[in-house]
Amino acid sequence: MRKVTLTKETTKDILENLLKRSPNNYGNFEAAVSEILQNVKTKGDQALFDYTLKFDKAQITRDNIRVTEEEIQEAYDQVDPALLDVIRKALVNIRTYHEKQRQNSWFTSTEEGTMLGQKVTPLNRVGVYVPGGKAVYPSSVLMNIVPAKVAGVSQIIMTTPPGKDGKVCPSTLVAAREAGADVIYKVGGAQAIGALAYGTESIPKVDKIVGPGNVFVALAKKAVYGHVSIDSIAGPSEILVLADETANPHYVAADLLSQAEHDEMACAILITTSSELADQVEKEINQYLKVLSRKEIIEKSLDNFGYMLIAHDMDQAIEAANEIAPEHMEIVTANPFEDMMKVKNAGAIFIGENSSEPLGDYFAGPNHVLPTNGTAKFFSALSVDDFIKKSSIVYYSRSALRDIHKDIIQFANSEQLTAHANSIAVRFEEEDKEEK
């Protein structure tokens, strides 16, 4: 990790380096993704079968593309009962948290004869993409499906790449069933995004696609946005630990590495007012690297996107943190709640030395699908809000409209939209004539 004295210039340099990780810089893959999507759009299922054979080495047909009830029961037999118990405990926390996000339709009326309101309607069909490959993340299955279920989405379709044997990881299937997925299909990559966006003979078109994936999945989601809605274009994971001299370096080092192990593009940043703490954290990291299984990935992540930033005071540290706008922020300071109130930009904030970031990944309840690459300045965590839409409701009685119809006519005429003005005027043309 690079140790840097914090200034506005160093903050700017760091931001420029971190932005290199953005999916917006994956342009050299766009042509390949575009070709895949076009083939799925025109050839439907056959394109899915061909790409699954090419990329996943699995023989998928119309007969076996959909996960069967027998396969799900087989998965339950293979999953450790202790893991199933933990999944169910986590589900309770995740569901309880998201139920507090529910929104209701509302209406207000006046004695003058008006009624205004907002009608909240869940999306009809949502696609949840679950990656396979290097690692399996049943926790992400829960985080993407539960808010859709709580929102009242009618049908939740999940896609995930199969292994060479044509089967899906048992823990993924069990998590999907426990969370409430309605249908699961064995297809991954950009081709799965195309199927969800356009529809094929086997997979119906959805209204929205959520879920993380590799560069091809990210670019495919970006390309189909507009045909369907998407949650976000996720970049590599990141953690920022805000700490002072009271922080435990043993804990801080462990937490930084918890995200660095995701992949070589992951980012881990320590911002501290204590150079002594930074030195201690560095020593702890070196000790951890001797025993952690993903040492090579961690070392590449820290070499490329790891920073220890030494701030003059906590105000400067928080200002830099707000500029970076991290996906995950831990606050381990003498006054963590006071410092939290000054944080404006972060996907999730973990307060105090016992609130380690993995607590949020797996169990606490808040969603772990979070904005990355500085987008926490304007995006939020995945929530129930992502799975609803809102319709405005307008009702005016004739007498209520009569009172203000001339105001509307004047406004419309000022914009030279005479048909707009006429739409109001015709309702009172006889009365207005009599007034003249």
Side-chain angles (χ1 to χ4, degrees):
M1 295 178 79
R2 280 162 278 193
K3 200 175 294 182
V4 179
T5 299
L6 193 56
T7 65
K8 288 191 176 181
E9 281 303 311
T10 56
T11 302
K12 180 182 177 184
D13 292 342
I14 290 165
L15 287 172
E16 289 178 355
N17 188 40
L18 296 182
L19 287 173
K20 294 176 183 175
R21 304 154 58 250
S22 170
N24 291 325
N25 293 323
Y26 298 163
N28 51 326
F29 297 102
E30 285 181 349
V33 170
S34 179
E35 181 180 349
I36 291 171
L37 293 175
Q38 185 59 33
N39 281 335
V40 172
K41 192 173 185 179
T42 56
K43 298 178 182 178
D45 274 355
Q46 191 56 52
L48 301 184
F49 305 151
D50 293 344
Y51 283 125
T52 303
L53 183 60
K54 179 179 179 180
F55 297 129
D56 303 306
K57 313 303 179 189
Q59 292 274 1
I60 297 298
T61 67
R62 289 187 190 178
D63 294 331
N64 67 359
I65 189 172
R66 178 170 173 165
V67 172
T68 64
E69 188 63 31
E70 289 74 22
E71 288 175 300
I72 293 174
Q73 292 309 312
E74 181 184 347
Y76 271 89
D77 293 337
Q78 295 174 349
V79 167
D80 184 341
L83 175 59
L84 177 57
D85 185 51
V86 172
I87 287 173
R88 286 174 173 167
K89 288 177 180 177
L91 261 174
V92 171
N93 295 340
I94 296 166
R95 188 179 296 114
T96 300
Y97 181 87
H98 287 84
E99 282 174 347
K100 297 182 187 301
Q101 298 176 338
R102 276 196 184 118
Q103 293 192 48
N104 297 315
S105 300
W106 58 266
F107 303 91
T108 61
S109 58
T110 66
E111 294 178 357
E112 288 73 26
T114 70
M115 184 179 74
L116 303 177
Q118 182 172 270
K119 184 174 183 293
V120 177
T121 308
L123 301 184
N124 182 52
R125 183 182 291 130
V126 166
V128 173
Y129 182 85
V130 176
K134 293 181 181 178
V136 177
Y137 300 110
S139 59
S140 287
V141 176
L142 307 185
M143 293 292 183
N144 281 278
I145 292 177
V146 169
K149 200 72 179 176
V150 171
V153 172
S154 299
Q155 186 179 38
I156 301 171
I157 294 174
M158 191 178 101
T159 66
T160 189
K164 293 179 181 179
D165 58 359
K167 295 183 177 293
V168 175
C169 174
S171 62
T172 298
L173 288 184
V174 168
R177 168 54 60 88
E178 292 291 321
D182 295 299
V183 192
I184 306 168
Y185 292 100
K186 304 172 188 175
V187 58
Q191 57 272 25
I193 302 302
L196 293 169
Y198 307 128
T200 70
E201 296 90 333
S202 296
I203 300 177
K205 181 184 185 303
V206 301
D207 301 314
K208 185 167 188 168
I209 302 171
V210 301
N214 63 16
V215 56
F216 291 93
V217 170
L219 287 175
K221 287 172 70 176
K222 182 179 178 182
V224 301
Y225 178 64
H227 295 279
V228 293
S229 180
I230 63 171
D231 52 349
S232 64
I233 304 169
S237 188
E238 54 203 38
I239 185 171
L240 186 153
V241 178
L242 187 68
D244 61 15
E245 71 282 355
T246 66
N248 184 325
H250 194 56
Y251 295 170
V252 171
D255 294 355
L256 289 167
L257 300 185
S258 72
Q259 292 306 292
E261 77 168 343
H262 269 294
D263 61 60
E264 294 87 346
M265 299 287 282
C267 165
I269 298 174
L270 168 65
I271 303 183
T272 180
T273 53
S274 170
S275 57
E276 182 181 349
L277 176 76
D279 292 338
Q280 292 172 334
V281 169
E282 188 172 34
K283 290 177 184 177
E284 293 286 347
I285 286 174
N286 292 331
Q287 291 302 311
Y288 281 127
L289 286 175
K290 295 176 182 178
V291 297
L292 292 173
S293 62
R294 294 168 73 88
K295 175 183 176 181
E296 290 185 8
I297 291 174
I298 292 172
E299 286 181 329
K300 288 180 180 178
S301 168
L302 296 182
D303 287 344
N304 293 325
F305 303 107
Y307 293 94
M308 291 185 180
L309 307 178
I310 314 302
H312 174 68
D313 56 28
M314 191 51 63
D315 285 340
Q316 185 191 33
I318 294 173
E319 182 181 359
N322 280 325
E323 279 300 305
I324 294 168
E327 178 186 19
H328 308 98
M329 179 188 290
E330 289 187 6
I331 303 177
V332 279
T333 62
N335 301 295
F337 287 93
E338 179 182 323
D339 294 331
M340 179 270 292
M341 296 303 294
K342 300 175 184 177
V343 173
K344 298 177 181 177
N345 305 320
I349 303 171
F350 300 81
I351 301 172
E353 69 173 23
N354 296 312
S355 303
S356 176
E357 186 278 337
L359 175 66
D361 273 352
Y362 296 108
F363 206 78
N367 210 289
H368 78 200
V369 180
L370 301 165
T372 58
N373 279 104
T375 59
K377 290 180 179 178
F378 44 83
F379 282 142
S380 305
L382 190 73
S383 72
V384 171
D385 289 352
D386 287 285
F387 299 99
I388 62 172
K389 52 193 177 70
K390 303 168 186 176
S391 303
S392 300
I393 302 297
V394 180
Y395 166 79
Y396 265 58
S397 67
R398 181 173 180 80
S399 62
L401 182 61
R402 181 188 298 113
D403 291 341
I404 51 87
H405 78 281
K406 291 182 181 179
D407 294 334
I408 301 173
I409 292 169
Q410 183 175 3
F411 215 149
N413 283 330
S414 75
E415 295 184 350
Q416 298 182 350
L417 296 176
T418 54
H420 280 63
N422 186 60
S423 174
I424 298 293
V426 294
R427 285 167 166 76
F428 301 97
E429 52 191 354
E430 295 301 323
E431 295 173 45
D432 290 343
K433 280 181 185 177
E434 290 176 5
E435 285 184 15
K436 293 179 181 178

